[in-house]
Amino acid sequence: MHLIFRYVRPYLKRMSLGLVIKFTGTIMDLFLPYILAHIIDEIVPLQDLRLVLKWGVVMLVCSILAILGNVIANRMAAWVARETTRRLRHDLFRKISYLSNRQIDGFTVPSLISRMTTDTYNIHRMVGMMQRIGIRAPILVIGGVIVTITLEPVLALVLTCMLPIILAIVFFVSRRSIPLFDHLQKSVDTMVRVVRENASGVRVIKALSRSEGEKVRFERVNRQVMADENKANMVMAASKPAMNLTLNLGLVLVILVGAWRVNAGLCGPGAITAFLTYFTIILNAMMSITRVLTMWSKALASAERIESVMAAEDQLTPQPIPATHEQAHIVFENVNFSYNNKENNLEEINFTLNRGESLGIIGPTGAGKSTLAGLLMRFYDIRSGSIRVEGKDVRAYDLKELRAKFGVVFQNDILFKKSIGENIRIGRQLDMTRLEQAAKDAQAAFFIEETGGMEASLEARGVNLSGGQKQRLLIARALAGRPDILILDDSSSALDYQTDARLRQTIHKDYGDTTTLIIAQRVSSVKNCDKILVLEEGRMSGFGTHDQLMQSCDLYREISRLQMGEGVQA
Ligand code: ADP
């Protein structure tokens, strides 16, 4: 609620103007039956056609004002709703991009996506609806009741008898339907998640012939959504006939009582005609209020979901940790880290790298290799110990300043639906020669030329490229900024041995000042690194040069033997 108000506040003036216009239009609507009653009961008996025509023109003017007022006010309302949502989405997107990885893990990505889309849309609808129906309906109900009382107090009594029944229906329906809609929203979230998993994992699902299983899984959530939707709409649907029944019963009563009063000469037939119209207007307005209430509660639930993201505190702000005066470029000192703050995913990691040195990190899957590289960029904060870059703790850096030092290629990095050049540049101030050089260094120049040059367009996620081509483009992107620190996380796995070797030579030769971390599965990829770190279940099981490790580290020797054959120093 607070959130919605905050975003609507800048438009309060415009909304008030819209409200005045809406108010005028609605009042004009209310006048119409009243004038009709006046014509039938008082003007027609005078048998003066000119007077009838005059009042007819008044009615016409009122209708035009009513329509114009409503259209203008609705357009203004739509504008406010659009602007509110645009700003809300903008801020939410910004906030999400600053969330720490730990917070993203907490919210989960599919949930953040549905907060960005469905939830902001609910707020959009609510802000629009409140200004259109939320204002019009109460005016119609209150104004209608006032006019009917002045018009025919006795018939107004009939209306008064019907009101409690209607209120009871509104109350019952909203109480039942609101939780049902909440539940429906959750089922839709699950469905979105399943579709997402399915779409991103489509290859592995096909490869493992899991398509049937996935269909069953999707069918299950799909049915759940259908069942929930059914339930919610059943309740909503029940409200319509109940309302209509009440409305029509009321109309019958009005006609009965009205007929009796007209016969007794207590009121004119025109008043009865007007009364019937008011009766319908009022009850329809009450039904609209039910809809507004449902939307309102949905939007409030959405606002809460958005607010919880917005309220997430900034976890990665710089901390006052004193710097050391060490020479080393990168230092890991007694680093312990855990994703869930229970068992450690990395334990007692210690190593030092000088500027320009290369570190190979090798070890089984799940050993913590990517985690270690991520910690260096402060994706997560460590439990204890210290990670320093140029003598300064990574937690003491302004995050932008820290991350500007890096060029990285992670597993599953993505390419955008843009030109090749733009994909390498990604918004940085880099001239074309720099991009071309980076492409050449990443061994990508040849195939870029073949694909149509830097201007050639890529499909979303680079689906029109081979795995090796994608990797080379991503490496070009990382090299283009001439980073202080280069991290290549399993990014040469799809390259053939020769290209991989050439790439490493180029980095060694032309990026001498760049400290490089190469995470790899292949011993050949790390063999020539200045230092190699062998990780096993989050612990260092060896650290040194290839030759040293061949002597001292069983795991390293074992991996080497499996990959290159015993004794072969490829
Ligand atoms: P590697 O790169 O060596 O294959 P990772 O660094 O990716 O290994 O993972 C190390 C361990 O941390 C694994 O057990 C993995 O399940 C766990 N892990 C990785 N990312 C997360 C995460 N975001 N949340 C919780 N656990 C994670």
Side-chain angles (χ1 to χ4, degrees):
M1 186 58 220
H2 186 66
L3 174 95
I4 301 175
F5 184 70
R6 209 164 62 226
Y7 277 86
V8 164
R9 193 160 47 196
Y11 311 115
L12 281 186
K13 257 198 204 138
R14 191 179 259 265
M15 284 170 76
S16 321
L17 182 65
L19 192 136
V20 172
I21 299 176
K22 187 100 204 175
F23 187 80
T24 320
T26 312
I27 293 292
M28 290 300 142
D29 265 333
L30 279 176
F31 271 151
L32 287 174
Y34 197 85
I35 301 175
L36 185 66
H38 180 67
I39 295 177
I40 295 175
D41 287 345
E42 277 147 57
I43 308 294
V44 173
L46 298 180
Q47 307 232 325
D48 182 346
L49 194 61
R50 278 206 1 251
L51 261 185
V52 175
L53 279 179
K54 205 178 92 189
W55 280 102
V57 171
V58 174
M59 273 183 90
L60 197 66
V61 171
C62 282
S63 331
I64 292 173
L65 283 181
I67 292 173
L68 274 184
N70 266 315
V71 170
I72 295 173
N74 284 358
R75 289 183 72 118
M76 289 171 77
W79 186 90
V80 170
R82 241 184 0 246
E83 275 303 296
T84 311
T85 323
R86 187 186 62 74
R87 283 180 42 249
L88 181 64
R89 281 212 184 107
H90 171 270
D91 291 358
L92 183 61
F93 185 80
R94 205 184 139 81
K95 181 77 197 187
I96 289 176
S97 42
Y98 283 110
L99 287 181
S100 72
N101 290 35
R102 204 180 279 283
Q103 287 167 322
I104 292 178
D105 292 347
F107 286 119
T108 76
V109 173
S111 169
L112 286 174
I113 292 177
S114 81
R115 284 168 217 233
M116 260 313 277
T117 50
T118 323
D119 289 321
T120 51
Y121 181 61
N122 280 345
I123 290 182
H124 175 105
R125 287 194 36 196
M126 199 269 264
V127 173
M129 210 166 176
M130 279 313 287
Q131 294 174 84
R132 285 181 283 116
I133 307 169
I135 290 172
R136 185 176 159 81
I139 299 178
L140 285 178
V141 172
I142 298 169
V145 169
I146 294 174
V147 181
T148 43
I149 288 174
T150 44
L151 193 72
E152 254 301 314
V154 179
L155 285 184
L157 267 182
V158 179
L159 186 67
T160 327
C161 296
M162 301 319 274
L163 276 184
I165 304 179
I166 307 237
L167 283 180
I169 296 175
V170 170
F171 178 73
F172 174 77
V173 170
S174 10
R175 221 188 53 175
R176 283 290 308 270
S177 65
I178 289 169
L180 288 177
F181 276 111
D182 274 357
H183 202 253
L184 173 63
Q185 188 54 43
K186 291 208 181 85
S187 311
V188 173
D189 277 1
T190 318
M191 187 169 82
V192 171
R193 183 172 56 78
V194 172
V195 171
R196 217 180 96 92
E197 286 171 358
N198 219 310
S200 39
V202 68
R203 284 199 206 169
V204 67
I205 289 167
K206 289 218 164 109
L208 301 179
S209 302
R210 281 291 304 151
S211 296
E212 278 310 312
E214 283 300 306
K215 270 188 212 151
V216 172
R217 193 158 84 103
F218 179 74
E219 193 50 33
R220 208 166 34 230
V221 285
N222 196 8
R223 277 187 185 284
Q224 185 62 44
V225 171
M226 191 190 75
D228 288 346
E229 188 140 17
N230 218 353
K231 234 195 238 164
N233 284 328
M234 283 285 251
V235 174
M236 287 306 278
S239 74
K240 242 214 154 133
M243 287 284 211
N244 277 336
L245 186 69
T246 327
L247 173 72
N248 287 319
L249 277 179
L251 288 180
V252 170
L253 266 179
V254 169
I255 290 173
L256 281 179
V257 179
W260 172 74
R261 281 178 62 80
V262 172
N263 272 343
L266 295 172
C267 76
I272 307 296
T273 320
F275 202 93
L276 290 177
T277 317
Y278 282 122
F279 203 87
T280 319
I281 289 178
I282 293 171
L283 294 203
N284 276 329
M286 302 275 299
M287 283 198 236
S288 311
I289 293 179
T290 336
R291 288 220 314 277
V292 173
L293 283 181
T294 318
M295 194 62 237
W296 175 262
S297 73
K298 257 197 205 177
L300 280 193
S302 288
E304 241 167 64
R305 281 158 55 91
I306 294 173
E307 181 72 48
S308 65
V309 178
M310 295 286 219
E313 56 176 317
D314 294 334
Q315 288 188 335
L316 302 176
T317 42
Q319 295 170 11
I321 302 175
T324 62
H325 295 286
E326 64 205 1
Q327 284 298 311
H329 194 192
I330 297 175
V331 176
F332 272 61
E333 193 176 286
N334 302 330
V335 171
N336 288 294
F337 169 74
S338 163
Y339 279 107
N340 55 13
N341 282 325
K342 286 184 199 122
E343 64 276 12
N344 277 341
N345 295 88
L346 284 176
E347 210 158 276
E348 289 301 309
I349 306 291
N350 283 291
F351 67 86
T352 303
L353 286 180
N354 294 319
R355 187 175 283 276
E357 278 187 331
S358 55
L359 173 74
I361 307 176
I362 197 163
T365 340
K369 304 185 292 294
S370 309
T371 307
L372 190 150
L375 291 184
L376 188 56
M377 298 185 73
R378 201 183 175 197
F379 284 157
Y380 294 87
D381 275 342
I382 52 177
R383 255 182 159 172
S384 61
S386 164
I387 302 175
R388 293 188 297 274
V389 174
E390 292 165 18
K392 189 167 161 183
D393 196 294
V394 292
R395 286 164 293 184
Y397 277 96
D398 171 62
L399 215 51
K400 263 202 188 132
E401 185 199 348
L402 174 70
R403 293 192 180 158
K405 293 181 186 297
F406 289 84
V408 288
V409 182
F410 286 122
Q411 299 169 30
N412 307 325
D413 256 354
I414 55 169
L415 291 164
F416 302 101
K417 194 174 159 57
K418 287 182 174 172
S419 71
I420 291 184
E422 274 311 310
N423 262 296
I424 299 179
R425 180 184 285 129
I426 49 164
R428 295 171 291 185
Q429 299 279 340
L430 301 171
D431 59 26
M432 198 40 101
T433 23
R434 186 70 221 118
L435 300 187
E436 276 164 2
Q437 186 60 43
K440 201 160 146 249
D441 295 341
Q443 315 299 314
F446 181 65
F447 93 82
I448 292 178
E449 209 50 53
E450 269 190 339
T451 320
M454 286 289 182
E455 299 307 318
S457 222
L458 292 185
E459 293 299 318
R461 290 172 174 263
V463 284
N464 52 346
L465 297 180
S466 79
Q469 290 171 334
K470 259 190 262 183
Q471 284 192 338
R472 277 177 280 175
L473 272 193
L474 293 168
I475 294 169
R477 178 192 282 174
L479 291 178
R482 285 214 152 265
D484 266 1
I485 304 168
L486 177 68
I487 298 179
L488 301 176
D489 186 351
D490 214 2
S491 52
S492 55
S493 55
L495 302 185
D496 55 80
Y497 279 85
Q498 268 184 354
T499 314
D500 188 15
R502 269 205 308 272
L503 171 71
R504 276 179 285 113
Q505 271 166 17
T506 313
I507 293 178
H508 184 68
K509 205 159 77 319
D510 297 341
Y511 293 78
D513 276 348
T514 299
T515 308
T516 315
L517 271 70
I518 299 177
I519 298 174
Q521 299 287 339
R522 299 201 296 232
V523 171
S524 65
S525 302
V526 296
K527 183 169 166 279
N528 296 320
C529 288
D530 298 314
K531 291 166 181 170
I532 301 168
L533 171 65
V534 187
L535 267 186
E536 192 182 14
E537 294 182 5
R539 292 172 161 276
M540 290 174 71
S541 95
F543 183 74
T545 62
H546 173 75
D547 292 335
Q548 287 167 349
L549 288 171
M550 285 303 274
Q551 299 294 322
S552 62
C553 177
D554 291 342
L555 177 63
Y556 189 77
R557 219 174 14 243
E558 179 66 15
I559 301 174
S560 258
R561 190 180 62 77
L562 284 174
Q563 289 182 0
M564 302 201 248
E566 222 159 349
V568 182
Q569 305 280 304

